[in-house]
Amino acid sequence: GQSLEQPSEVTAVEGAIVQINCTYQTSGFYGLSWYQQHDGGAPTFLSYNGLDGLEETGRFSSFLSRSDSYGYLLLQELQMKDSASYFCAVRDQAAGNKLTFGGGTRVLVKP
Amino acid sequence: GAVVSQHPSRVICKSGTSVKIECRSLDFQATTMFWYRQFPKQSLMLMATSNEGSKATYEQGVEKDKFLINHASLTLSTLTVTSAHPEDSSFYICSARDGRALSYGYTFGSGTRLTVV
């Protein structure tokens, strides 16, 4: 099976940097993804890491270390609109490519 | 990019009735769609994997007779909550991936907030 652990909540001020860690245990690893979800909305895809290293997409970056079963999402130059829940997820290629999500990290950005 | 349309966005129904939720891939064919349920301030829990032309695969603990899934075409999957009860009140979200896309991301519908009274 799959399990993913991430912190439940993080609070930071505008302009700050936030790092959300994710550790995972999977029976078959096929990349780590990150999704953002605002309250009442649908999750939107942010980033994907299939190989070790850093992927940068604007203010957001994601890192993966497969040997450590660990990844993180880095939010830079925080803006109020970044207040949302962030989920890491792994894909199980052996089970119809279903996504399993971590518990989610609520990020609260304060002025 | 890939778009998944989900309807209705919000529904209130009486206990004992059934509710159907539709999920359509608008600009791509989705042989597989996924149905999730999300309770307030919790994560997305996969309920079932919907496969076009075949039976859905349900996750452990999900009652297949209560949550009926039909995937009759390459662009439409439906979830029917039968004999709904207040504990079925939740946010239901569908998802699919455009296999042609270079992105590894999955696209989600806008979700259906079900309230059973």
Side-chain angles (χ1 to χ4, degrees), chain A residues 33-100:
Chain A
S33 303
W34 290 91
Y35 289 79
Q36 178 192 61
Q37 184 183 32
H38 287 96
D39 284 346
T44 56
F45 171 71
L46 290 178
S47 186
Y48 170 84
N49 294 75
L51 300 174
D52 292 352
L54 189 68
E55 291 285 337
E56 297 179 85
T57 311
R59 294 185 297 114
F60 296 174
S61 303
S62 59
F63 172 83
L64 175 67
S65 169
R66 288 174 295 171
S67 60
D68 296 321
S69 297
Y70 162 77
Y72 66 72
L73 179 69
L74 194 69
L75 315 179
Q76 302 180 77
E77 299 172 25
L78 273 179
Q79 300 176 10
M80 297 296 291
K81 66 179 182 179
D82 298 330
S83 290
S85 291
Y86 294 83
F87 297 90
C88 56
V90 292
R91 176 154 54 134
D92 189 341
Q93 199 177 18
N97 288 309
K98 65 179 184 181
L99 277 183
T100 300

Side-chain angles (χ1 to χ4, degrees), chain A residues 96-98, chain B residues 32-36 46 48-50 93-96 106:
Chain A
N97 288 309
K98 65 179 184 181
Chain B
T32 304
M33 289 188 180
F34 304 92
W35 287 95
Y36 292 86
L46 180 66
T49 301
S50 171
I93 317 174
C94 66
S95 171
Y106 285 60

